[in-house]
Amino acid sequence: MKTRSDDLLEKHIETVDNQRLQEEELQTHVHIVFSLSEAGSLKVALSQLGKREESRVVAFNDWFSVGPITELRVITCLRSRHWRLFLF
């Protein structure tokens, strides 16, 4: 049996999803950066230029210069990469 709070939660989720879809429809540019700091700085700059709503900023928070970056789905390879990053 649905409660009033369940209905409110569903309505809120639907509202948030619709808002996200509307925002995505406005986005015409994707900017890719390689740290969370760079992403934040780029978002601030885009906001100051009035271009934030039309831009999506994607951040890869990893050091791709420290390798290898292959076979990251295999747990032993992923652990090896983490160990290299720790030593770096």
Side-chain angles (χ1 to χ4, degrees), residues 4-5 10 14 23 36 52 69 79 82 88:
R4 178 163 156 58
S5 61
E10 279 184 27
E14 184 179 330
E23 289 172 358
L36 297 177
R52 180 67 182 102
I69 58 171
R79 285 185 183 143
H82 286 160
F88 186 72

Side-chain angles (χ1 to χ4, degrees), residues 9-20:
L9 180 60
E10 279 184 27
K11 186 173 182 176
H12 178 71
I13 290 170
E14 184 179 330
T15 301
V16 169
D17 282 344
N18 287 337
Q19 181 181 0
R20 183 183 52 80

